[in-house]
Amino acid sequence: GLRTPDGKPVKYQIIDHNGNVVAIQGADDESPGDITTPLVASIIAGTPDPASNPNPAHQATNVPINGNLSWDFGADTDAYDLWFGPTGSMVQVVDGEASGASGSFAYNDLPNNAQYSWRVDTINNTSGITSPGPVWTFATALPEGLVEIGSGSVTTLNLPLNPYYGYNYSQTIYLQSEINVSGQRIEKLYYNWNGLAAGTNTKDWTIYMGHTDKTAFSSTTDWVPFADLTAVFSGIVTLPASAGWVEIILTTPFTYNNTGNLVIAVNENTPGDDGSLAKFFGTSFATNRGLRRQNDSSAYNPASPGTGTRESGIGNVRLQFGEIPTVPTFAYSPASLTFNNVVSGTSSGWQNVTVI
């Protein structure tokens, strides 16, 4: 039994949640010693312990779309209920099934890049008590070939550009360790847009890609040379008044060597601005992985952009990789030419077509 620090036995009561004395411990003829306050028991017999050790772990990311949920049952558990589904819309998928030391549940064909939640409620059949478990969450994997770099919600980096200005030029470095895709080419590019306004005056983009040994920009003029860049897109980028990832299909896919780091340069030259609220989301880092310029008077020349501003972070980006064709492909840009009216017997002005 319980004893005081000087060795005297203690007489004590066990009181349930309703204040009823359910047991008295200690001998009547023994002195209660120095402890006179009754002890209160808060454990009800037959209360099952909650489940633990979830797999996937709570808040796990990049979870396969086909797999198993698994967990360990707690003490005094005879049966369980399982709730599972998209976050905010869980449904009961197991009702009162017998338990053991651990449990599992197979799932199939979940959508990519989706948030899911699940919960195990443990049941004691003798007492009839159910203990609701904690809600665990996970995110399913991105589609095959899609690489996401950056998950922050910073909007002050102004990468790849700042819609508050009419003209922008930037370069951002993405590390090989963040990409790590061999033998494929980048076919699409996505930027994470907050959608607080439509980017109607931030629509004319030229995008360049290149390999670089740089891991950061060492000065405000430490641009990756224009000769090391390849134009991969030139055209209209639609920025809606709604948040999400903005897709840009590259007119010239870029073959990534998976050895160097990747630099992405964006030159935006639509006159006017879209206010101070619309922004791209970014992620902060300790090193200066972004270098940018912005103004309201004239477009930048990527071959000599001048003195910029370094940023300790990146614009969040997704890169869609695809297989490199085994046979030559033919492409041209632009898709059409406009000559307007030409007087008979005269020649129109020259226009250029790039054949790839």
Side-chain angles (χ1 to χ4, degrees), residues 28-325:
D28 289 342
D29 58 351
E30 292 182 315
S31 168
D34 297 329
I35 298 178
T36 58
T37 302
L39 302 178
V40 178
S42 61
I43 300 176
I44 301 175
T47 300
D49 288 343
S52 60
N53 298 326
N55 185 30
H58 181 43
Q59 298 181 337
T61 58
N62 203 36
V63 174
I65 61 174
N66 299 294
N68 292 277
L69 309 176
S70 64
W71 62 92
D72 292 337
F73 288 111
D76 298 316
T77 300
D78 301 313
Y80 71 99
D81 298 335
L82 176 63
W83 296 76
F84 176 57
T87 296
S89 303
M90 288 192 301
V91 297
Q92 189 171 3
V93 294
V94 174
D95 184 4
E97 188 169 314
S99 64
S102 61
S104 65
F105 177 81
Y107 63 84
N108 298 285
D109 299 324
L110 301 184
N112 291 108
N113 193 32
Q115 298 288 328
Y116 272 78
S117 299
W118 56 298
R119 187 186 81 212
V120 179
D121 295 344
T122 52
I123 303 169
N124 183 281
N125 290 335
T126 302
S127 66
I129 295 173
T130 298
S131 296
V135 175
W136 298 312
T137 63
F138 65 85
T140 55
L142 295 170
E144 183 177 358
L146 188 62
V147 175
E148 181 176 320
I149 307 173
S151 58
S153 56
V154 180
T155 57
T156 55
L157 295 170
N158 295 313
L159 296 169
L161 54 85
N162 185 351
Y164 190 51
Y165 288 85
Y167 304 98
N168 290 264
Y169 181 69
S170 74
Q171 292 185 359
T172 307
I173 296 170
Y174 298 93
L175 304 181
Q176 181 277 333
S177 59
E178 298 168 331
I179 303 171
N180 196 28
V181 175
S182 297
Q184 293 190 320
R185 63 182 190 173
I186 302 170
E187 297 178 342
K188 297 180 183 179
L189 175 68
Y190 301 78
Y191 283 109
N192 198 359
W193 175 245
N194 73 1
L196 295 183
T200 54
N201 293 319
T202 314
K203 59 185 178 62
D204 298 286
W205 292 32
T206 300
I207 302 175
Y208 306 86
M209 292 186 178
H211 297 102
T212 181
D213 293 332
K214 297 180 188 292
T215 58
F217 295 103
S218 61
S219 72
T220 56
T221 57
D222 186 31
W223 303 97
V224 173
F226 184 66
D228 294 342
L229 302 176
T230 299
V232 295
F233 174 85
S234 183
I236 302 299
V237 175
T238 301
L239 302 173
S242 58
W245 289 90
V246 175
E247 179 186 75
I248 303 169
I249 300 174
L250 303 188
T251 49
T252 306
F254 182 78
T255 301
Y256 178 61
N257 64 15
N258 204 33
T259 302
N261 299 319
L262 176 70
V263 59
I264 301 178
V266 174
N267 189 24
E268 183 274 320
N269 56 11
T270 310
D273 67 80
D274 291 306
S276 60
L277 297 179
K279 296 285 186 179
F280 289 95
F281 290 114
T283 302
S284 296
F285 286 92
T287 54
N288 295 309
R289 291 172 54 181
L291 183 57
R292 61 178 177 83
R293 290 208 68 187
Q294 58 194 28
N295 77 84
D296 282 320
S297 58
S298 61
Y300 290 103
N301 179 0
S304 55
T307 301
T309 299
R310 293 185 295 170
E311 295 292 350
S312 299
I314 62 171
N316 296 343
V317 72
R318 286 178 175 175
L319 307 172
Q320 179 65 62
F321 283 83
E323 297 297 330
I324 299 174

